[in-house]
Amino acid sequence: EGLLSAFIGDWLLAAATVESLDKLCAAAQEQKPAFAGSARWKQVREHLGRDCQGLVWADLKPIRQHLLRLPEDPDARAALPPSPAKAAAVLGLDGVHSLAAGLVLDGPHFDFRIALEAPKDRRRALVKLLEGEGPLTGGMLASVPPDAGWFYFTRESPKRFLPMVKDALEAGTGDNTFSQKLGVGLFAFKLITGVDVEKDLIDGFGDEWLVCDAGGGGPLLDLLPSLTLTGKAKDPAKAEKALDKVFENIAGAAPKPMDAGYKTVVVDGITAHYISVALTDISPCYAVVGSYVVISPTLAGLRRQVRHLAALPGAKDIRSSAEFQAAYQAAFGKALPAEGAGAEQAELPGTLRYLNPKR
């Protein structure tokens, strides 16, 4: 068990089996032209940039074909959709031939790049899967605390994904009535909770979302970091009403040993709702601050984000961080839109990720 290894010249080769290691050693000793000299590898280098210090490439076509094969075990086979390949085709995943990733390190900054190889006739579904709702607005950056160690911003509406998921599941299962069954399931959920998922939850929220570090917490959070999800609601009252019903039903359905209770606490004048769980630091919670909705697995994370949002406008945000300003300049080759005139409407990329390695 474990890896087997052998030195060929200056290179240490490792494999999981004797047969695989023999093949590696034989290929190294034959000294045939390396893949790095092939036209395909040169194309990868050109797409990712020759300044990459680290490169990873995967030929996805044989991997995908292997994963879509039905297993030999009858029970495992029965549990899989009869045609997973069709589901992959609906999502455009069957058209991805290879994937390459590269890393560029430049002092305190790093740049991560990805390139996908897909033929023209299979790109439409893939582009539909990957495209977002449009650029972010600079105003959403105000929702990020100035000392955030990392955050992830994206603009995405669940409404866009629902039809794709339905089509993929219908193609994968061969069940053309899946949409009807899903509708029945959502109706049953509405009867139990009083929440219409599409009208109350999905329509109540907007399409700009922030995930960032919440900071602080109990000992369990050393293993399970605390996160906050912040979204700008189209209808804050509708979103709050729907979340209240969902959280209340979750607390009521929890097993007795968890001793879950649905409670409220006031944070800087804002009422936060949470589910207390016995013997754990985890307390799923949410709060509505103006047009923002904040959800977190811990009260510690929620308090930090609520206090920041409650102090807006006027409070400092991530745009005041010198580290973030430098990272933005390095990533996009232009200065971060300054706070003030026009900054709230300034367009940012459709997805924005930030990690401060000093935190």
Side-chain angles (χ1 to χ4, degrees), residues 254-268:
K256 285 187 176 181
M258 295 180 67
D259 192 23
Y262 186 46
K263 304 176 181 179
T264 61
V265 63
V266 177
V267 180
D268 285 13

Side-chain angles (χ1 to χ4, degrees), residues 142 308 311-317 339:
H308 171 68
L312 297 177
K316 288 187 176 181
D317 58 59
E339 297 180 61

Side-chain angles (χ1 to χ4, degrees), residues 124-258:
R124 180 174 296 179
L126 182 63
V127 169
K128 186 178 179 181
L129 177 67
L130 296 177
E131 69 180 356
E133 296 291 333
L136 295 163
T137 56
M140 271 298 283
L141 282 176
S143 64
V144 187
D147 57 346
W150 64 269
F151 68 78
Y152 173 81
F153 252 136
T154 188
R155 188 169 184 182
E156 192 58 74
S157 171
K159 253 187 171 179
R160 190 175 73 87
F161 275 105
L162 279 178
M164 285 190 288
V165 172
K166 290 177 183 178
D167 291 345
L169 289 173
E170 285 187 355
T173 61
D175 184 358
N176 294 327
T177 65
F178 181 82
S179 292
Q180 296 177 5
K181 292 178 179 177
L182 179 61
V184 171
L186 293 176
F187 181 71
F189 181 83
K190 181 180 178 180
L191 290 178
I192 295 171
T193 64
V195 176
D196 186 313
V197 173
E198 292 192 74
K199 291 182 179 179
D200 297 334
L201 281 177
I202 295 179
D203 286 349
F205 289 98
D207 56 15
E208 287 188 304
W209 300 93
L210 161 72
V211 182
C212 70
D213 62 331
L220 181 60
L221 298 184
D222 292 337
L223 299 175
L224 181 64
S226 180
L227 311 174
T228 56
L229 172 67
T230 303
K232 206 161 188 180
K234 290 187 292 186
D235 189 334
K238 179 185 285 189
E240 183 172 20
K241 185 177 180 181
L243 285 173
D244 182 64
K245 291 179 180 178
V246 170
F247 272 62
E248 186 176 12
N249 278 274
I250 292 174
K256 285 187 176 181
M258 295 180 67

Side-chain angles (χ1 to χ4, degrees), residues 69-78 80:
R69 290 174 187 165
L70 294 177
E72 296 296 328
D73 180 67
D75 293 333
R77 191 185 308 122
L80 288 177

Side-chain angles (χ1 to χ4, degrees), residues 8-75:
I8 300 294
D10 294 333
W11 288 89
L12 175 65
L13 308 180
T17 65
V18 174
E19 293 78 11
S20 182
L21 185 61
D22 285 342
K23 289 181 180 179
L24 282 176
C25 293
Q29 290 173 330
E30 287 178 8
Q31 296 184 347
K32 290 183 177 180
F35 176 70
S38 67
R40 199 171 188 185
W41 179 251
K42 290 178 180 178
Q43 194 175 40
V44 169
R45 289 298 304 268
E46 291 297 332
H47 287 319
L48 290 178
R50 294 188 172 273
D51 56 340
C52 284
Q53 289 118 342
L55 289 169
V56 176
W57 178 83
D59 188 352
L60 297 182
K61 191 172 182 179
I63 296 175
R64 184 179 63 250
Q65 290 173 344
H66 176 75
L67 292 177
L68 293 179
R69 290 174 187 165
L70 294 177
E72 296 296 328
D73 180 67
D75 293 333

